[in-house]
Amino acid sequence: MSGELFPRPPRPRAEIAPGAVHVPDWLPEERQRELVDVCRDWARGPVPIRHTVLPNGGVMSVQTVCVGWHWQPYRYTRTAGDVNGARVAEFPDWLLRLGRAALTEAYGDPAAGAAYTPDTALINFYDGDARMGMHQDKDEKSEAPVVSLSVGDRCVFRFGGTENRGRPYTDVELSSGDLFVFGGPSRFAYHGVPKVYPGTADPATGMRGGRLNITLRETGLPG
Ligand code: SIN
Ligand code: MN
């Protein structure tokens, strides 16, 4: 992080569970800024960012916009019938390449990286009060890993088991630029974000506040 009087010491990478890897500070600051810019564009449209409404009428506290495929509980479609009916933005080639590089880095396995073909990104924005309850990412028909990139405020990322949303779990602090990958035996692990630390973002990332998280996934859906 730039401009800090007392820079935070480097944090080691860690395997949180089999197939679940945290790589701190993976994204250079310039790349974080580019991601913030492009996410700001996607938030404007063609499908504007919104608080997802759950089938029980509950409203998620995070705001979400998708590219490639639109996620709504609990399926993927090309058009956002629950927002404005528009087709979501195309999944860009550079994001595919970023996903492959992320997987190669996390698993130290270029072949796994080359085989990874994410076709959707869920972009979540958390203001200081937003949270995400423990859940599994299980609407994808592919078992390929999920790649998660974070920019902006720090948060607690809670990573549990595959059986239920309760203990045991591990709390990991995710900071701006961090990469987290969960695949293999951890692909269907419960996870959530119980806390965001407002005001902890470095303004150099271009975030005025809040936390941005981008998850790349393979939907496993045809073309
Ligand atoms: C998610 O589970 O989809 C988002 C996780 C995060 O915000 O870090
Ligand atoms: Mn998730």
Side-chain angles (χ1 to χ4, degrees):
M1 305 228 305
S2 67
E4 272 188 318
L5 195 50
F6 302 105
R8 287 155 61 84
R11 294 162 297 142
R13 60 185 286 146
E15 186 167 34
I16 303 303
V21 180
H22 177 208
V23 185
D25 299 314
W26 183 65
L27 285 169
E29 201 171 88
E30 176 62 25
R31 207 72 215 252
Q32 295 179 47
R33 260 199 304 276
E34 289 167 5
L35 283 175
V36 170
D37 285 345
V38 72
C39 288
R40 215 170 252 143
D41 278 350
W42 283 327
R44 282 192 276 262
V47 178
I49 195 165
R50 88 315 185 191
H51 295 273
T52 304
V53 180
L54 300 168
N56 67 6
V59 178
M60 291 179 71
S61 58
V62 304
Q63 299 171 62
T64 306
V65 61
C66 309
V67 303
W69 290 87
H70 177 74
W71 179 81
Q72 62 175 295
Y74 293 98
R75 64 203 165 94
Y76 287 98
T77 51
R78 287 293 193 189
T79 54
D82 60 335
V83 187
N84 64 354
R87 187 180 168 107
V88 294
E90 288 296 315
F91 190 91
D93 222 47
W94 62 262
L95 198 49
L96 170 71
R97 290 195 300 272
L98 187 63
R100 288 182 171 168
L103 200 60
T104 301
E105 171 68 32
Y107 288 169
D109 182 351
Y116 188 48
T117 310
D119 60 346
T120 188
L122 272 65
I123 296 145
N124 290 318
F125 177 74
Y126 298 71
D127 65 18
D129 297 323
R131 310 267 178 274
M132 192 174 289
M134 295 293 276
H135 66 279
Q136 294 166 295
D137 292 355
K138 60 176 184 187
D139 298 323
E140 301 78 25
K141 305 207 181 308
S142 160
E143 297 191 353
V146 174
V147 164
S148 153
L149 302 166
S150 296
V151 181
D153 284 340
R154 292 201 297 273
C155 79
V156 175
F157 182 60
R158 182 160 289 171
F159 201 79
T162 53
E163 291 298 312
N164 60 63
R165 45 178 53 80
R167 292 175 192 276
Y169 47 68
T170 304
D171 282 348
V172 181
E173 191 170 280
L174 292 185
S175 296
S176 201
D178 286 10
L179 163 66
F180 196 99
V181 172
F182 52 102
S186 287
R187 173 59 181 80
F188 297 104
Y190 282 85
H191 58 278
V193 177
K195 178 150 188 60
V196 173
Y197 298 104
T200 54
D202 183 342
T205 61
M207 293 281 289
R208 288 186 284 265
R211 169 175 186 264
L212 198 58
N213 175 263
I214 304 168
T215 49
L216 309 182
R217 305 133 188 244
E218 276 186 14
T219 62
L221 295 169

